[in-house]
Amino acid sequence: VQLQASGGGLAQTGGSLRLSCLASGSAPTKYGVGWFRQAPGKEREFVAAISWSDGNTRYEDSVKGRFTISRDNAKNTVYLQMNSLKLEDTAVYYCAADSVLPAVLFYDYWGQGTLVTVSS
């Protein structure tokens, strides 16, 4: 499985960005995709995850109500819509497969990361 994350960039506080994660390769993912982020000097943390089969989602508390994860099964793509961005959302964002659980150790495949920078 190969994962390609895209969509990062610069946004102002209160603004929006949408990240995309394209899954490709010969081995299909079965369970789901998660988004994680890592700020400078900090550990990688869970942001959100979604199940391929039923679309069930889970979110880290600090992004609930601001971020929305969705998927397009036909395109093998998962999206992370980020609204009401805050300075503390600045990080490199990674998509990962193949789980829906909120911890790094459950994911075997990782994308390359895309940088999100929020400025005031």
Side-chain angles (χ1 to χ4, degrees):
V1 175
Q2 289 84 46
L3 301 173
Q4 183 174 355
S6 61
L10 178 63
Q12 292 187 325
T13 53
S16 299
L17 285 172
R18 189 177 81 156
L19 306 183
S20 300
C21 177
L22 171 64
S24 61
S26 59
T29 59
K30 295 181 180 180
Y31 301 111
V33 169
W35 283 99
F36 291 76
R37 64 187 179 187
Q38 188 166 19
K42 295 188 177 182
E43 293 187 353
R44 193 169 298 187
E45 65 174 3
F46 173 78
V47 176
I50 188 166
S51 166
W52 282 117
S53 60
D54 57 16
N56 280 345
T57 60
R58 66 172 68 206
Y59 296 91
E60 193 268 331
D61 286 346
S62 70
V63 306
K64 285 181 179 177
R66 300 190 298 122
F67 291 9
T68 302
I69 190 170
S70 62
R71 92 275 194 225
D72 184 331
N73 291 55
K75 295 182 178 180
N76 289 333
T77 300
V78 171
Y79 304 98
L80 185 68
Q81 178 66 44
M82 305 185 296
N83 298 330
S84 301
L85 284 165
K86 303 177 179 180
L87 294 176
E88 52 264 41
D89 294 321
T90 295
V92 176
Y93 283 71
Y94 299 89
C95 59
D98 182 14
S99 177
V100 295
L101 297 176
V104 169
L105 64 92
F106 295 111
Y107 293 79
D108 295 323
Y109 309 100
W110 291 84
Q112 83 283 11
T114 184
L115 177 62
V116 171
T117 303
V118 183
S119 64
S120 59

